[in-house]
Amino acid sequence: MGARRPTPYGEAVAERLAMDLVRAGVVVVSGLALGIDAAAHEGALAGGGLTVAVLGTGIDVVYPAANAGLAARILAAGGTLLSQFPDGTPPRRGNFPRRNWTMAALSDLVVVVEAAEGSGALITADAALSLNRTVMAVPGSVFSALSVGCHQLLRDGAGLVQNARDVLAELQSPSAVLDDPMRLPEGAAAAPAGGGLLRHLSDVHPVDPGELARRLGLPLPEVLARLTRLELEGAVRRGGGGYLRVQRRTRGCGMHGAGAG
Amino acid sequence: MACLVGPIVGTRWPAGKRGRSPVFIGGVAGAVFGLYPAAVVASVLGCQVHGLEGHPVEVQVDVSAGVPGFFLVGLATGSVREARERVRAAIRNSGLPFPLRRLTVNLAPAELRKEGSGLDLAIAVGVSLAALGRSSPPGTAFLGELALNGQVRHVDGVLVAARSLARHGVRDLFVAASDAAEAALVERLRVFAAPSLAAVVAHLGGEAPIPPYAGGPPRVEEGAVEHDLAEVGGQEAARRALEVAAAGRHHLLLCGPPGAGKTMLARCLPGLLPPMTLEEALELAEVRSVLGELPAGRPLDWTRPFRAPHHSISTAGLVGGGSRLAVPGEVSRATRGVLFLDELAEFQPVVLQALRQPLEEGRVVITRSGGPVTYPAHFQLVAATNLCPCGWTGDDRRPCRCTPGAVQAYQRALSGPITDRIDLQVTVPRTPPEVLGREASGEPSRTVRARVERARRVQLERQGVLNAGLRAADLRRWAPLRPAARAALERWAEARGLTGRGFHRAWRVARTLADLDGGGPIGEEHVLEALGYRLLERAA
Ligand SMILES: [Zn+2]
């Protein structure tokens, strides 16, 4: 579990981790929410494994609607959609924490990928602990607010997840097939094009074009033009009020709303 | 309209001694006995202001035999009917004769609605002249409210009235002393600062001439730069966007977290625009004159206005209106300057909807029972918004706590009919303290303005309008794209599903970027940079 609006880093971690875990025979349980949940389901599907989506709505209500396709693919791949709520229950604020309890109860181990301070993922981690489930966390960038929650868990004694093997070791199903460090999901662009500019961009922390211009000592119009060119090439994207490096192949460059990623 | 100026006194009648009126026996007595005229009609010119138009009003005074009374006719509303009491008291307290007979004042044309107290002076002069058997000199008009002691007082809209009276052939205008500078802005008009009704009557009788107001014709000055770009730390992207906005008269949207300095940036825009022309300064002064907000003595303000209404503003407050009179709104107060809408998403949609006409036409028409009123609204819009409801997107000190649905709804609300008309959109991040602490590296507004003025000259010489006013057909004619530029624009449009509107917006901005570079054809670098100023793009 993790943030609904993760950084590209968090998404990549969730996807890769799920992929490697299903390859080792683990079933991935998540909540079909946007962000980390969706990435985990996607990773499990990409790894050819089984995944269970625990819904916070009635079984016949897919929320968010953007994940309807994902839900269908989970079923098509032999996975399960599961809900504790009566048919037709719409998304309600109070139901999601209950769904999270169910998720924790169904699992042997909970991995948190990106959680802001005081976020729902942390509350669920507490729930998992009270159910005697093991809680692990993936470290993140110290520049990112979305790392704070995970780092707090780590400080409090949660297991650190560097790769799937860490999780498997905790589950007592050791496996030799996994490498270390974690590999980027397929399609991740390590494109060196764009020269010095890309080196100053982050996967996680949006950089303002003005700041880029300052760092590179280039005039702003030129920086903006180069960023747009890289954007057309799919190497950067706008988000969070700045520009981010695109870590993996873009799923088509759709609408980019108000710079919020 | 046809308008009679000057005396149409029917018959001269012998002036009675001061304070005593000649005795009339009956309405036809004069005719019968050949001694006195049957009726006395004096005509004096005043003015009724309706929006930014002044309509000459002919005040006809008829004094006839009959039961003494004072009748005011000619579509005079309640506020004008009250003039009778002020006029009667002012005349008596000025030591002038008040005819103790049947007094009928007709305000012509009758179909024009008369409001306010601006006709007081004209009515009182008309009655006094009629009582004295004198006539108003031709080409003379009177504007002002009367105090009970006969003092002439300020009225709103003197500039509007004066300009219109001058167009109708008036050469001499009497106004309150506090309004003289305002009236004197109109060239070819001789203005007399009238202290009191008695002084005006004495002047007209040649007893004590009032010297004409010596204001001289208005001189074009340069407005003050109240907020200088040199004071802005960092914010390179927003600075550049401001320059481009000023150069092409593009509307601008600033997106960023609270405390990022969006308001300060917006306040810098007026100082980047070229100095106002006399015509622009007069247009602004007319709006302020109608509002009664022109400072006495120094009516022309050469600083471009900056208006920042709160998001709780009503439609009437923003575009004009009001329950009784059509009062100019913020869009007109901001004419020739900048209208700043902070927290755009908080404005009521119906209020923003009302901005469409002024944004498209540069004016606003308010429908009123007395007929539609038009006010100028040539403002440049700067809007500011957070990136999400909680506002913390773009600020790394705190995480954004918004649900994806809430963020989507927020951005949907933003990308409406107003952002559709905003050519330039730019993010304004919170400036890190280490950048704020640095030496101010920013150029001063004056330097930027020199480039803006150059780019504007290029546009006006080429196409007669600024780039923001270019329509699709104009773009094809005046904004040719080099092949690589066209390819980049089309590639982007395809990838984003850019609508025709979005396509033209980026094209217009690219035109301005090329004009800042000297005005040649649009290159790929201009298109690529222009696309960097697009944030809210509505899906096709
Ligand atoms: Zn937020």
Side-chain angles (χ1 to χ4, degrees):
Chain A
M1 61 183 61
R4 276 169 313 211
R5 307 214 300 133
T7 65
Y9 162 80
E11 270 188 291
V13 169
E15 186 174 335
R16 184 76 217 188
L17 194 61
M19 191 190 302
D20 290 345
L21 286 171
V22 296
R23 281 182 183 154
V26 174
V27 177
V28 171
V29 179
S30 197
L32 201 69
L34 293 177
I36 296 297
D37 283 15
H41 290 304
E42 291 282 6
L45 293 175
L50 290 180
T51 180
V52 177
V54 186
L55 308 189
T57 58
I59 196 78
D60 51 346
V61 180
V62 175
Y63 175 82
N67 282 348
L70 176 58
R73 281 185 288 128
I74 289 172
L75 291 177
T80 305
L81 299 188
L82 198 135
S83 172
Q84 73 210 83
F85 301 107
D87 286 1
T89 305
R92 282 195 199 114
R93 224 183 166 74
N95 284 349
F96 289 97
R98 293 165 66 192
R99 180 273 310 265
N100 293 353
W101 271 86
T102 309
M103 260 167 69
L106 282 172
S107 313
D108 297 310
L109 183 148
V110 173
V111 179
V112 182
V113 184
E114 293 206 313
E117 203 179 348
S119 64
L122 288 194
I123 295 163
T124 311
D126 279 345
L129 287 172
S130 63
L131 288 166
N132 273 329
R133 300 300 188 265
T134 309
V135 172
M136 302 185 81
V138 179
S141 158
V142 294
F143 292 115
S144 168
L146 286 170
S147 306
V148 175
C150 286
H151 291 177
Q152 223 166 51
L153 286 173
L154 292 171
R155 237 180 257 121
D156 293 347
L160 185 146
V161 178
Q162 160 74 48
N163 56 33
R165 192 158 43 196
D166 293 325
V167 178
L168 293 171
E170 202 65 44
L171 286 170
Q172 275 117 37
S173 53
S175 161
V177 299
L178 300 166
D179 54 352
D180 180 11
M182 198 186 290
R183 277 182 300 136
L184 285 171
E186 279 77 9
L197 207 143
L198 273 180
R199 271 207 309 277
H200 290 271
L201 283 176
S202 148
D203 306 333
V204 174
H205 178 68
V207 183
D208 162 52
E211 197 181 328
L212 267 179
R214 273 198 301 276
R215 286 189 200 165
L216 291 159
L218 288 173
L220 181 99
E222 188 184 331
V223 169
L224 266 182
R226 284 171 66 178
L227 282 169
T228 305
R229 194 192 303 277
L230 288 169
E231 203 178 355
L232 281 169
E233 287 163 4
V236 306
R237 65 181 184 90
R238 287 174 224 205
Y243 283 82
L244 293 152
R245 199 161 50 186
V246 173
Q247 215 175 24
R248 50 195 179 144
R249 198 169 37 238
T250 46
R251 297 167 177 156
C253 50
M255 172 181 158
H256 53 136
Chain B
M1 59 166 278
C3 153
L4 277 172
V5 176
I8 37 173
V9 173
T11 323
R12 276 198 155 261
W13 55 303
K17 293 216 167 66
R18 241 172 134 75
R20 260 186 56 218
S21 307
V23 179
F24 275 70
I25 298 154
V28 290
V32 170
F33 301 104
L35 290 170
Y36 297 109
V40 174
V41 178
S43 168
V44 164
L45 207 60
C47 191
Q48 174 67 49
V49 172
H50 187 65
L52 286 197
E53 279 171 72
H55 303 280
V57 172
E58 192 190 327
V59 179
Q60 300 164 345
V61 183
D62 174 280
V63 183
S64 60
V67 180
F70 189 169
F71 303 96
L72 197 53
V73 296
L75 205 65
T77 61
S79 58
V80 175
R81 279 203 301 276
E82 289 170 1
R84 284 183 307 181
E85 307 312 319
R86 287 191 297 271
V87 165
R88 199 197 311 265
I91 290 177
R92 287 200 169 132
N93 294 331
S94 301
L96 294 165
F98 191 85
L100 275 173
R101 275 161 303 129
R102 191 181 169 85
L103 188 59
T104 307
V105 173
N106 180 36
L107 305 175
E111 70 273 11
L112 179 73
R113 195 179 163 85
K114 325 296 186 308
E115 280 164 319
S117 52
L119 289 168
D120 283 9
L121 181 61
I123 294 171
V125 167
V127 171
S128 300
L129 290 181
L132 294 168
R134 299 211 298 251
S135 58
S136 168
T140 304
F142 305 86
L143 275 177
E145 181 183 311
L146 282 177
L148 297 184
N149 64 3
Q151 264 183 355
V152 183
R153 301 172 61 167
H154 159 85
V155 286
D156 294 343
V158 162
L159 176 59
V160 175
R163 289 186 101 182
S164 128
L165 288 170
R167 273 198 299 276
H168 283 90
V170 168
R171 292 184 308 276
D172 288 354
L173 177 63
F174 290 79
V175 294
S178 58
D179 293 341
E182 183 179 336
L185 291 177
V186 181
E187 287 175 275
R188 295 191 305 276
L189 199 60
R190 207 152 53 131
V191 174
F192 295 91
S196 66
L197 172 64
V200 173
V201 173
H203 171 96
L204 294 176
E207 294 141 36
I210 301 170
Y213 179 80
R219 272 199 334 271
V220 177
E221 294 170 35
E222 201 167 291
V225 175
E226 290 178 334
H227 295 269
D228 201 291
L229 265 186
E231 296 159 27
V232 175
Q235 303 295 12
E236 287 79 356
R239 299 171 68 97
R240 170 74 172 169
L242 277 172
E243 177 174 345
V244 178
R249 205 178 169 277
H250 302 284
H251 302 305
L252 173 64
L253 178 71
L254 303 170
C255 300
K262 301 190 290 277
T263 303
M264 174 63 190
L265 284 162
R267 284 187 183 280
C268 286
L269 182 56
L272 301 181
L273 301 173
M276 279 200 281
T277 62
L278 178 59
E279 198 47 43
E280 288 175 335
L282 284 173
E283 179 186 297
L284 180 62
E286 281 195 321
V287 172
R288 291 183 179 161
S289 168
V290 168
L291 287 160
E293 291 176 0
L294 277 186
R298 206 181 177 287
L300 276 196
D301 186 349
W302 296 95
T303 305
R304 290 188 182 268
F306 178 87
R307 303 292 306 184
H310 187 256
H311 56 68
S312 61
I313 195 170
S314 66
T315 305
L318 188 62
V319 298
S323 54
R324 204 169 48 83
L325 295 166
V327 178
E330 290 292 335
V331 295
S332 301
R333 290 167 183 263
T335 196
R336 305 297 170 184
V338 173
L339 179 70
F340 178 52
L341 301 184
D342 199 5
E343 299 188 63
L344 185 66
E346 303 291 323
F347 283 80
Q348 287 191 36
V350 58
V351 173
L352 292 181
Q353 196 75 19
L355 275 178
R356 285 172 63 166
Q357 186 193 35
L359 279 173
E360 266 165 27
E361 300 173 16
R363 68 192 184 119
V364 60
V365 180
I366 305 163
T367 313
R368 271 291 168 282
S369 55
V373 173
T374 304
Y375 289 118
H378 292 278
F379 60 88
Q380 209 170 335
L381 178 68
V382 180
T385 180
N386 298 331
L387 291 163
C388 66
C390 84
W392 290 103
T393 296
D395 188 330
D396 25 285
R397 288 174 306 172
R398 277 164 70 168
C400 162
R401 290 274 167 74
C402 305
T403 65
V407 173
Q408 269 174 19
Y410 193 82
Q411 294 181 0
R412 245 200 322 276
L414 278 178
S415 58
I418 297 311
T419 47
D420 263 7
R421 286 167 173 77
I422 299 181
D423 286 345
L424 283 166
Q425 302 167 351
V426 70
T427 50
V428 181
R430 203 179 63 86
T431 307
E434 67 271 17
V435 175
L436 279 180
R438 266 181 230 162
E439 285 275 299
S441 54
E443 283 178 308
S445 289
R446 183 170 289 276
T447 313
V448 178
R449 194 172 76 185
R451 290 197 296 267
V452 166
E453 289 185 62
R454 226 173 7 251
R456 282 193 168 208
R457 260 198 308 279
V458 167
Q459 297 165 54
L460 293 174
E461 278 167 19
R462 180 181 56 223
Q463 65 215 15
V465 294
L466 295 174
N467 289 338
L470 289 179
R471 292 170 193 281
D474 307 328
L475 281 169
R476 281 190 288 278
R477 175 158 182 212
W478 300 117
L481 295 155
R482 289 186 193 279
R486 174 166 294 280
L489 194 54
E490 281 169 356
R491 200 168 145 205
W492 179 277
E494 198 181 331
R496 304 280 165 185
L498 208 61
T499 58
R501 262 204 192 144
F503 189 86
H504 291 131
R505 272 198 300 269
W507 194 349
R508 271 197 293 271
V509 171
R511 174 71 274 177
T512 302
L513 296 175
D515 289 339
L516 281 165
D517 272 355
I522 299 167
E524 188 189 17
E525 69 278 18
H526 301 128
V527 165
L528 290 175
E529 186 191 345
L531 290 170
Y533 302 118
R534 308 264 1 116
L535 296 175
L536 300 165
E537 210 68 80
R538 279 215 281 196

